[in-house]
Amino acid sequence: MDINNIKMVGIGKDVPLELREKISFKDIEDALIKLKELGLEEVVILSTCHRSEIYYYSQKISPQQVKNFFIKYFDLKEDFLTYLHQVCGLEAVEHIFRVACGLESMVVGEDQILSQVKEAINTAQVFNSAGKILFKLFRDAVTLGKRARADTGIKDLALSISYIAVKFVQEVFNDIAGKKAFVIGLGEMGQKAIINLIDKGADVFVTNRTFSKAIELKEQVPEIHIVPYEQKYQYIASSDIVISATNAPHYTVDYDKFKQAYNGRKICMVDIALPRDIDPRIGQLEGVSLYTIDDLKRTAEENKKERLSLIGVIEKMVKEEVKEFDKWYKTLEIEPYIKEVSRYAYEVYNAEYKRIINKLTNASEKDKENIKIALKRVANKMANKMIMHLKSNAY
């Protein structure tokens, strides 16, 4: 069995966007069916906004044939072939491991690609296109991706401004579950902050100058409570957390109006707008912690540097897992011998047990069971010794 039968053909994040758009798999089922008709024994499609890759296992189908499939399936010109990348064998194994770990992402270690790799193998299983080898490959990739993020802590080094805003709030309160959070502005950053706050268990109130936008968001995120924009100071004063993310050209949280409504309670405010939404003098009031977008950006830059510093650690983990996969693959050739050794060991144990029991007519059931256990243990030990020898020769 040649490990070079594991192959990958596709495009990655370095290909221009207008070209990536042309070969984005919209109907995975249809593509898998056509690839199976091409003669592929096993096939998995990984399709994201940054990459479209076909992983397959075949002794007969060459990467060039799969490249031609891309050209025909997406009705591309022949010169597009230059953008298609191919790897085989352990290079293909290492590639999917790197992808799952986020080493091939725009943002090193980002989480979304891991769920996309998992979705790719799940989809292939549903349509019966992932066999033993690709299932093992992708399962190992997902497991490694999870371990790499957990062991290095890279998953905690947020780069999203909205996510970091919530992290700052957590540092103030330790736990924000049950805390009252008030979000002003429902643009992209405001909505991301809302989702992050809800995920952390906060009770989220929102307001927006355009009330209809709040109503629309309520349909998508029913957990939120809508507050009329005119009542915002009343809710700010009774909140534990305030995050403001509007595109207003002036302060949306005025110092005098805030001070008039403020009752001195501990409150964490995060201003992620540019220009700023919250009058900076508010941060000087006792009990108020105020963070600006500059604070968040500094953290994002520090996190980015730390993420980059972890690349070497994760790459080492990838190399180790590639070796382990290679060992597993090599054992596939000796599987029939392993099964034969196990079968023979069982036959010997069973025959000897029957022979002894036939002679020991007065043995109790307990004695019979002990004899069975002892014979089985001896047979297994001898079989395992032979199997270990077979595996060591395979490596």
Side-chain angles (χ1 to χ4, degrees), residues 7-252:
K7 304 163 188 173
M8 188 286 293
V9 176
I11 61 167
K13 67 180 188 302
D14 298 326
V15 173
L17 176 60
E18 60 270 19
L19 297 178
R20 294 204 308 271
E21 288 175 333
K22 290 182 179 179
I23 61 169
S24 175
F25 288 97
K26 305 299 183 187
D27 189 342
I28 299 293
E29 179 183 2
D30 177 68
L32 287 174
I33 290 171
K34 286 182 168 58
L35 284 164
K36 291 285 281 184
E37 290 172 352
L38 190 65
L40 298 182
E41 298 167 33
E42 300 184 28
V43 58
V44 177
I45 294 175
L46 176 60
S47 183
T48 74
C49 57
H50 292 310
R51 65 183 64 251
S52 292
E53 296 176 334
I54 295 173
Y55 293 81
Y56 68 102
Y57 181 81
S58 177
Q59 300 179 45
K60 302 174 183 177
I61 306 302
S62 69
Q64 185 59 48
Q65 288 173 279
V66 177
K67 286 182 178 181
N68 292 337
F69 169 83
F70 270 101
I71 298 298
K72 184 178 178 181
Y73 190 79
F74 292 105
D75 193 24
L76 303 169
K77 295 179 180 178
E78 289 292 327
D79 58 3
F80 193 87
L81 286 170
T82 58
Y83 291 100
L84 287 167
H85 176 57
Q86 69 180 62
V87 284
C88 300
L90 292 180
E91 283 187 56
V93 173
E94 182 173 350
H95 179 74
I96 186 58
F97 284 178
R98 289 180 61 87
V99 168
C101 288
L103 292 174
E104 298 296 326
S105 299
M106 294 286 190
V107 176
V108 176
E110 57 97 1
D111 286 335
Q112 188 178 13
I113 186 62
L114 184 57
S115 62
Q116 290 167 332
V117 170
K118 188 175 182 179
E119 183 182 350
I121 188 60
N122 288 343
T123 301
Q125 281 186 281
V126 169
F127 297 114
N128 199 32
S129 70
K132 180 177 182 177
I133 292 167
L134 290 189
F135 176 74
K136 165 73 172 173
L137 177 63
F138 272 72
R139 185 186 65 184
D140 286 359
V142 171
T143 301
L144 175 61
K146 290 178 180 177
R147 184 162 63 85
R149 288 167 175 81
D151 290 0
T152 63
I154 198 170
K155 65 185 180 66
D156 298 319
L157 301 171
L159 299 180
S160 161
I161 294 297
S162 299
Y163 191 86
I164 293 172
V166 176
K167 293 280 284 185
F168 270 56
V169 171
Q170 279 187 293
E171 290 176 9
V172 173
F173 291 105
N174 294 321
D175 184 8
I176 61 176
K179 295 292 183 184
K180 185 177 178 181
F182 187 52
V183 178
I184 308 169
L186 302 181
E188 182 180 355
M189 287 203 294
Q191 290 189 33
K192 285 182 178 179
I194 289 166
I195 298 302
N196 289 329
L197 286 166
I198 290 173
D199 287 345
K200 301 297 181 184
D203 191 17
V204 181
F205 294 75
V206 306
T207 193
N208 194 68
R209 189 177 292 277
T210 306
F211 193 74
S212 60
K213 191 167 185 178
I215 297 295
E216 289 175 12
L217 183 62
K218 174 75 173 177
E219 293 176 0
Q220 301 172 34
V221 189
E223 297 92 336
I224 63 173
H225 310 282
I226 301 174
V227 174
Y229 194 76
E230 305 76 38
Q231 298 177 21
K232 64 182 178 183
Y233 286 102
Q234 175 187 337
Y235 279 84
I236 289 173
S238 62
S239 296
D240 303 296
I241 303 156
V242 175
I243 296 179
S244 193
T246 77
N247 57 3
H250 52 72
Y251 294 143
T252 57

Side-chain angles (χ1 to χ4, degrees), residues 161 164-165 168 270 272 291-300:
I161 294 297
I164 293 172
F168 270 56
V270 187
I272 55 178
Y291 299 100
T292 68
I293 196 166
D294 282 349
D295 298 317
L296 275 56
K297 281 183 175 179
R298 277 193 294 271
T299 299

